[in-house]
């Protein structure tokens, strides 16, 4: 769904991202049409990209491989290149990980001072019920913290990341 976002789907004024059907792609269900918060950390990344020297055309993340603007359909090879550059193996970073990371981070946020509801998270993910969020994402997130906004700070996950890197490289040394 993210690959089919148009620049106009991001509202920096309203701080929202709208997932809707468009000429590039359809949504899975009618319930998948939704408006989500544009979190501050994501806005910091998107703002210079959208308003920079070479802003995207119509699609937020276009491909011009054919010479014309088209929607990226598979970015696993790009993720493999990122993984290798970061010292991981191809296939160790998957598109599914982004959804899991968002869901687990979102479940740790507050909504008007109270823990965000599973109902809210399920709607943001485009699910028709809470069952999937409870079953798939509810157990994620070994780092327990409540925040007002979704953000991913490496510092919060540093210990787990170091352990994963040590296991990946076959030792417990510093990396």
């Amino acid at each position: 769904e993210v690959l089919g976002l148009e620049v106009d789907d991001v509202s920096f004024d309203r701080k929202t991202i709208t997932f809707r059907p468009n000429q590039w792609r359809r949504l899975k269900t009618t319930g998948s049409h939704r408006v989500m918060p544009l979190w501050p950390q994501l806005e910091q990344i998107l703002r210079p990209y959208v308003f920079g020297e070479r802003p995207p055309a119509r699609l937020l993340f276009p491909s011009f491989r054919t010479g014309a603007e088209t929607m990226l359909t598979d970015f696993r090879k790009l993720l493999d290149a990122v993984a290798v550059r970061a010292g991981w193996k191809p296939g160790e970073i998957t598109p599914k990980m982004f959804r899991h990371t968002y869901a687990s981070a979102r479940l740790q946020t507050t909504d008007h001072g109270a823990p965000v509801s599973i109902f809210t998270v399920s709607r943001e993910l485009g699910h028709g019920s809470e069952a999937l969020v409870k079953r798939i994402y509810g157990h994620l997130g070994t780092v327990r913290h409540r925040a007002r906004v979704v953000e991913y700070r490496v510092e919060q996950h540093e210990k787990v990341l170091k352990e994963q890197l040590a296991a990946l490289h076959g030792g417990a040394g510093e990396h």
Side-chain angles (χ1 to χ4, degrees):
E1 291 176 321
V2 169
L3 297 178
L5 284 171
E6 294 181 347
V7 174
D8 290 343
D9 292 329
V10 179
S11 172
F12 292 99
D13 295 334
R14 292 190 316 272
K15 308 266 187 247
T16 60
I17 299 174
T18 302
F19 288 89
R20 61 183 173 79
N22 59 35
Q23 77 176 60
W24 313 100
R25 55 105 169 94
R26 62 180 180 79
L27 298 178
K28 286 187 255 182
T29 67
T30 54
S32 296
H33 183 282
R34 62 208 183 273
V35 178
M36 293 183 55
L38 173 61
W39 300 106
Q41 190 178 28
L42 181 57
E43 181 180 358
Q44 287 176 346
I45 295 165
L46 286 180
R47 189 175 282 279
Y49 171 70
V50 169
F51 299 112
E53 289 181 29
R54 297 179 58 192
R58 188 159 171 209
L59 281 166
L60 190 58
F61 305 110
S63 170
F64 289 97
R65 187 174 42 93
T66 63
E69 181 181 32
T70 59
M71 186 178 113
L72 283 168
T73 54
D74 188 0
F75 64 105
R76 286 178 291 192
K77 287 181 183 176
L78 294 171
L79 288 178
D80 285 346
V82 169
V84 168
R85 195 150 188 202
W88 296 39
K89 295 176 186 162
E92 285 190 303
I93 299 176
T94 65
K96 192 181 205 179
M97 292 170 82
F98 294 105
R99 187 174 186 83
H100 282 253
T101 300
Y102 175 79
S104 61
R106 180 63 167 127
L107 286 167
Q108 294 298 312
T109 62
T110 57
D111 187 10
H112 301 292
V116 69
S117 73
I118 291 175
F119 175 82
T120 298
V121 177
S122 68
R123 291 304 176 265
E124 288 178 1
L125 294 173
H127 297 172
S129 76
E130 300 173 16
L132 238 113
V133 173
K134 287 178 183 174
R135 191 174 80 242
I136 304 292
Y137 307 112
H139 69 283
L140 297 174
T142 56
V143 175
R144 296 285 180 218
H145 67 281
R146 289 285 176 194
R148 200 176 46 74
V149 299
V150 169
E151 62 182 5
Y152 187 86
R153 301 289 180 201
V154 172
E155 302 82 32
Q156 296 168 332
H157 306 274
E158 201 164 8
K159 180 181 176 204
V160 172
L161 290 171
K162 282 183 178 180
E163 290 169 1
Q164 289 174 343
L165 278 172
L168 182 68
H169 294 291
E174 291 290 318
H175 295 286

